[in-house]
């Protein structure tokens, strides 16, 4: 995240600081045509108007562009952060339902070793090929696959032939939680939206030297101070846009907003119990952690 967000922002700030004074000098020396008969675009009268700017015309243009940029970026950041929050809610709900399903599989297949092993294998396929692959599989492709390719469908079929079994409601809730996770992870903002934000940022930066060129007529040394201010402005704009882009690509790129780190901790207990049951360390119908009696709890405390 630091490499993709902070480093480009620092580079943009350094380039903007160095290029500001030459850009203002180029604007003041610009001509409206090559004929030589037309007056300069930046003559003494124009510089006087820009330096005084009694009508606030140029500054209003800069303010309007900055206001549009701030409104759109603020709404975009809020939308992307809200989507990130929904991902965590969906993952907590899905992992909780997955743990309940694993416990129900153990209890309902007590004494039926073949069924027990088969259901645990399908549960393992769900964890490894579905829940774990947040950054590999597209949520649309995951949802559009055939029902027979879904491990949860196999569990539902094996436990609910004829009449719905005890695991029917748990599988149903797990599917609902998975749908919420896929919907939250689905990319909703197109690349065109980000390009429009970057275009507005460029407009703000381009308008700033025009406003600053009028100050050169009064105090030429002010360009040094304005160049540093311009660099700070470029750093802030680039930093905000990079954060929005990082949120937009949080599913496919590892970084501060990626949920894989949290998911690894969430499913650790689920995977350990699942693998222990597959290896025969925990028998079917047996809970891995039986409740302790009240007196045992008192002694342990």
């Amino acid at each position: 995240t630091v490499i993709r967000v902070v480093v480009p922002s620092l580079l943009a700030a350094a380039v903007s600081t160095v290029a500001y004074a030459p850009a203002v000098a180029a604007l003041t020396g610009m001509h409206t045509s090559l004929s030589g008969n037309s007056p300069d675009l930046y003559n003494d009268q124009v510089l006087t108007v820009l330096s005084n700017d009694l009508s606030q015309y140029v500054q209003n243009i800069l303010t309007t562009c900055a206001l549009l940029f701030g409104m759109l970026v603020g709404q975009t950041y809020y939308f992307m952060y809200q989507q990130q929050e929904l991902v965590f809610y969906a993952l907590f709900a899905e992992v909780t339902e997955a743990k309940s399903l694993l416990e129900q599989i153990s209890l309902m297949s007590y004494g039926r070793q073949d069924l027990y092993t088969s259901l645990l294998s399908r549960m393992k396929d769900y964890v490894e090929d579905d829940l774990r692959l947040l950054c590999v599989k597209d949520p649309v492709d995951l949802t559009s696959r055939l029902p027979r390719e879904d491990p949860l469908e196999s569990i539902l079929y094996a436990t609910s032939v004829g009449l719905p079994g005890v695991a029917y409601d748990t599988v149903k809730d797990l599917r609902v939680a998975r749908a919420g996770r896929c919907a939250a992870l689905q990319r909703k903002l197109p690349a065109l939206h980000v390009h429009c934000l970057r275009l507005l940022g460029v407009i703000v930066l381009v308008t700033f030297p025009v406003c600053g060129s009028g100050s050169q007529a009064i105090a030429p040394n002010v360009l040094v101070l304005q160049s540093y201010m311009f660099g700070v402005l470029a750093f802030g704009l680039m930093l905000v846009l990079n954060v929005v882009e990082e949120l937009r690509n949080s599913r496919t790129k590892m970084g501060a907003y990626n949920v894989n780190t949290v998911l690894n901790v969430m499913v650790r207990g689920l995977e350990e119990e699942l693998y222990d049951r597959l290896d025969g360390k925990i028998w079917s119908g047996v809970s891995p952690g039986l409740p302790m009696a009240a007196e045992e709890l008192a002694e342990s405390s």
Side-chain angles (χ1 to χ4, degrees):
T1 301
V2 174
I3 296 176
R4 291 193 298 264
V5 175
V6 180
V7 174
S9 302
L10 291 175
L11 292 177
V15 172
S16 301
T17 303
V18 174
Y20 178 78
V24 173
L27 285 175
T28 55
M30 187 182 299
H31 296 275
T32 56
S33 65
L34 300 176
S35 60
N37 298 324
S38 300
D40 293 340
L41 179 62
Y42 276 80
N43 52 30
D44 294 337
Q45 291 80 9
V46 174
L47 290 176
T48 301
V49 173
L50 288 176
S51 59
N52 296 324
D53 198 12
L54 299 178
S55 62
Q56 300 287 314
Y57 179 76
V58 179
Q59 292 184 14
N60 288 339
I61 294 177
L62 175 60
T63 303
T64 303
C65 295
L67 180 61
L68 289 175
F69 178 80
M71 291 174 59
L72 290 178
V73 169
Q75 290 295 327
T76 303
Y77 180 82
Y78 172 76
F79 174 77
M80 298 300 299
Y81 197 84
Q82 190 177 36
Q83 177 179 338
Q84 192 77 1
E85 184 181 8
L86 292 176
V87 172
F88 285 99
Y89 282 129
L91 285 177
F92 274 104
E94 187 173 3
V95 173
T96 302
E97 293 295 338
K99 290 181 178 179
S100 299
L101 181 60
L102 178 61
E103 192 67 24
Q104 287 186 0
I105 288 175
S106 171
L107 296 175
M108 71 175 14
S109 58
Y110 178 73
R112 305 163 66 184
Q113 188 61 32
D114 293 339
L115 178 62
Y116 177 68
T117 305
S118 176
L119 294 179
L120 289 181
S121 299
R122 300 306 291 165
M123 190 70 185
K124 177 175 176 291
D125 294 338
Y126 159 74
V127 173
E128 294 181 350
D129 301 333
D130 191 333
L131 181 59
R132 272 294 205 165
L133 300 183
L134 293 180
C135 300
V136 178
K137 290 187 177 180
D138 194 340
V140 175
D141 297 335
L142 184 64
T143 308
S144 63
R145 63 185 178 181
L146 297 175
R148 64 171 178 265
E149 300 174 354
D150 186 4
L152 297 180
E153 181 70 20
S154 301
I155 296 176
L156 187 63
Y157 180 79
T159 58
S160 303
V161 178
L163 294 175
V166 295
Y168 178 83
D169 291 334
T170 305
V171 174
K172 178 183 176 182
D173 294 338
L174 183 56
R175 281 179 162 179
V176 172
R178 181 178 63 182
R181 183 245 303 177
C182 292
L185 288 173
Q186 179 61 36
R187 180 178 294 175
K188 301 174 180 64
L189 287 181
L192 179 62
H193 185 94
V194 180
H195 294 332
C196 290
L197 293 179
R198 294 188 182 277
L199 179 59
L200 282 175
V202 171
I203 292 175
V204 173
L205 293 178
V206 170
T207 313
F208 194 85
V210 178
C211 295
S213 61
S215 304
Q216 184 192 18
I218 301 176
N221 294 332
V222 78
L223 291 181
V224 178
L225 177 61
Q226 289 182 350
S227 62
Y228 288 109
M229 296 173 61
F230 187 67
V232 173
L233 177 63
F235 174 80
L237 294 180
M238 182 65 71
L239 183 67
V240 170
L241 291 174
N242 288 339
V243 169
V244 171
E245 184 69 19
E246 190 77 5
L247 279 170
R248 180 174 173 268
N249 297 320
S250 61
R251 183 181 65 85
T252 57
K253 293 183 179 180
M254 297 298 296
Y257 296 101
N258 192 274
V259 298
N260 268 343
T261 304
V262 179
L263 180 63
N264 291 336
V265 179
M266 293 172 61
V267 301
R268 184 169 54 195
L270 175 64
E271 288 181 328
E272 289 180 359
E273 181 178 344
L274 179 60
Y275 296 148
D276 287 345
R277 290 185 180 277
L278 284 172
D279 294 339
K281 297 179 181 179
I282 303 176
W283 298 101
S284 63
V286 178
S287 176
L290 295 176
M292 299 176 62
E295 56 273 10
E296 295 177 350
L297 288 174
E299 293 175 0
S300 61
S301 60

